[in-house]
Amino acid sequence: MDSRQFKRVKALYRFTADLSEVEREEILQALCPDDAEVRKHVHRLAARTLDETRLDELIRDLAQMLESDRG
C-alpha cells in the first residue's frame, strides 16, 4: 500500500467508523468501487477496532464485578 492509499484508508475508516458493516460496505462501494484493496483495509481496521472495544468492555465489566464482590 502506498502513502496515497494509506491516507485514503485512514480517511474512509474515520468516515465510516460508526457504521454497521453493511452500511460501511455500501459507502465504500459508492466511494471507491474500483479499489477492493482499500475497502479490504478499511474493513480490517473496523474489525480490529470492534475487537478492541469489546475487550475494553469485558475488562470494565470484570473490574466492576470484582469491586462489587469486595463491597
Side-chain angles (χ1 to χ4, degrees):
M1 178 182 334
D2 63 27
S3 63
R4 185 181 63 79
Q5 284 179 312
F6 177 77
K7 288 177 183 178
R8 190 168 189 201
V9 166
K10 190 168 130 179
L12 288 168
Y13 168 73
R14 287 181 176 162
F15 183 69
T16 62
D18 294 332
L19 301 177
S20 71
E21 190 173 335
V22 172
E23 293 169 321
R24 182 178 306 107
E25 180 58 22
E26 289 174 357
I27 295 292
L28 294 175
Q29 283 289 340
L31 296 176
C32 50
D34 298 329
D35 201 339
E37 184 177 356
V38 166
R39 292 193 313 271
K40 175 182 73 173
H41 286 295
V42 173
H43 283 297
R44 283 184 179 171
L45 279 173
R48 173 178 254 168
T49 302
L50 182 59
D51 289 344
E52 290 172 1
T53 299
R54 288 179 179 159
L55 180 59
D56 288 345
E57 290 171 356
L58 176 61
I59 291 169
R60 185 176 53 247
D61 291 346
L62 289 171
Q64 288 174 350
M65 286 174 25
L66 289 171
E67 286 296 318
S68 68
D69 286 346
R70 289 183 189 174

